[in-house]
Amino acid sequence: MAAGMYLEHYLDSIENLPFELQRNFNLMRDLDQRTEDLKSQIDSLAKEYTSNARTLSSEQKLSILRQIQQSYSKCKEFGDDKVQLAMQTYEMVDKHIRRLDTDLARFEADLKEKQIESTDYDSASSKGKKGETRQKEKKTAKTRSKVKSSDEDGSPKTAQKKVKLLQPGEFNSPSTNFGNVHPSDVLDMPVDPNEPTYCLCHQVSYGEMIGCDNTDCSIEWFHFACVGLTTKPRGKWYCPRCSQDRKRK
């Protein structure tokens, strides 16, 4: 997949993200405003209770205390709703970050594969060019050997052949019009050389990963995208290599 397609698909996926974030932030701001209004109401009720405590009847005191308790309960509900919105917003952004990490890993793998193909093509072209050059050099050497023999012979007939063989254009240098294929520049992500690698792709840890339940697994941890997972499976999970080993047994 070309780099443009990766970028286009990712931009399409985050097209509605700003509007969703703005909606959640507006809801959280609204919850904050409601909480502040309730706190003002609680302060007013508390002042009324303390200033008129001697003159209020037991029923009036109980009514004010109930109102204060109800207002505190509402504040707690608004706080819980705000926490849920914050967690939802975080998950929303984190989901796109994980997808970006996965796309970058796939894009890097594609670039490395193209680099290997280009290197193989360069190697094959270089070998072909060297073989052709050697063949032409052998032909040139044979021709020069014949010309030398004609010089030593000294007969007019052979002299004419010598002139003909030495005419310009007969001993051109080997053709060098071969296309030089340069491998594409690879965007290497900066990685700590001491950081351990995991998974079938031998990359560092990123995004969501899952551990193989085989205690003897040589790799242990795998990226979701590399093993074809989008969500965490239920029960025990074994990597492709361990699954094949279990089937053989």
Side-chain angles (χ1 to χ4, degrees):
M1 184 181 292
M5 296 184 66
Y6 277 110
L7 180 61
E8 183 179 354
H9 288 173
Y10 186 75
L11 291 177
D12 290 341
S13 68
I14 63 173
E15 182 178 2
N16 296 324
L17 181 61
F19 303 103
E20 294 174 354
L21 294 177
Q22 184 178 6
R23 180 196 62 189
N24 286 3
F25 291 148
N26 289 337
L27 290 174
M28 285 190 281
R29 189 180 296 111
D30 183 58
L31 290 172
D32 283 339
Q33 185 61 46
R34 291 184 184 182
T35 303
E36 291 297 325
D37 294 342
L38 286 174
K39 287 170 64 178
S40 301
Q41 184 179 350
I42 291 171
D43 292 339
S44 299
L45 291 171
K47 288 180 181 179
E48 180 182 353
Y49 183 85
T50 54
S51 60
N52 301 322
R54 296 180 179 179
T55 59
L56 292 174
S57 63
S58 300
E59 293 182 356
Q60 290 176 334
K61 290 181 181 179
L62 185 60
S63 176
I64 293 175
L65 291 175
R66 285 176 179 174
Q67 291 180 24
I68 293 175
Q69 185 178 7
Q70 289 176 357
S71 298
Y72 271 121
S73 298
K74 281 289 184 183
C75 286
K76 184 178 181 301
E77 290 179 6
F78 291 157
D80 293 340
D81 291 341
K82 185 179 177 180
V83 170
Q84 291 296 326
L85 278 172
M87 293 177 62
Q88 179 184 356
T89 304
Y90 174 82
E91 290 293 335
M92 190 185 306
V93 176
D94 187 59
K95 179 183 69 175
H96 291 288
I97 292 175
R98 291 196 303 269
R99 175 170 180 178
L100 179 60
D101 290 339
T102 304
D103 287 346
L104 284 175
R106 290 178 179 174
F107 181 52
E108 185 182 14
D110 289 346
L111 287 179
K112 288 183 178 179
E113 184 178 354
K114 289 181 180 179
Q115 183 189 24
I116 292 173
E117 292 176 356
S118 299
T119 304
D120 293 341
Y121 179 78
D122 282 345
S123 177
S125 299
S126 177
K127 290 180 180 178
K129 188 165 83 171
K130 288 181 179 179
E132 185 175 347
T133 302
R134 289 177 181 175
Q135 290 179 358
K136 289 191 176 182
E137 287 177 351
K138 288 181 179 180
K139 291 181 179 179
T140 304
K142 289 181 179 179
T143 305
R144 287 177 178 173
S145 177
K146 291 180 180 179
V147 170
K148 187 175 180 181
S149 299
S150 300
D151 277 340
E152 293 175 354
D153 193 4
S155 64
K157 194 170 184 180
T158 55
Q160 290 178 1
K161 288 184 179 180
K162 175 184 173 183
V163 172
K164 184 177 181 182
L165 288 170
L166 293 177
Q167 284 179 356
E170 291 293 325
F171 301 111
N172 292 333
S173 60
S175 175
T176 57
N177 296 324
F178 289 91
N180 293 324
V181 180
H182 298 282
S184 304
D185 294 332
V186 179
L187 301 175
D188 291 327
M189 298 174 64
V191 177
D192 186 355
N194 297 323
E195 187 173 356
T197 57
Y198 305 93
C199 192
L200 301 173
C201 62
H202 302 291
Q203 298 293 327
V204 298
S205 173
Y206 64 84
E208 290 191 32
M209 300 186 70
I210 185 171
C212 180
D213 285 328
N214 182 10
T215 55
D216 297 328
C217 182
S218 59
I219 301 177
E220 295 184 1
W221 291 96
F222 301 82
H223 303 110
F224 269 31
C226 294
V227 292
L229 294 178
T230 56
T231 58
K232 184 177 180 180
R234 295 182 179 179
K236 292 187 176 182
W237 179 86
Y238 296 93
C239 68
R241 293 183 179 177
C242 293
S243 297
Q244 291 180 359
D245 293 339
R246 288 171 60 86
K247 290 180 180 179
R248 292 172 183 172
K249 292 180 180 179

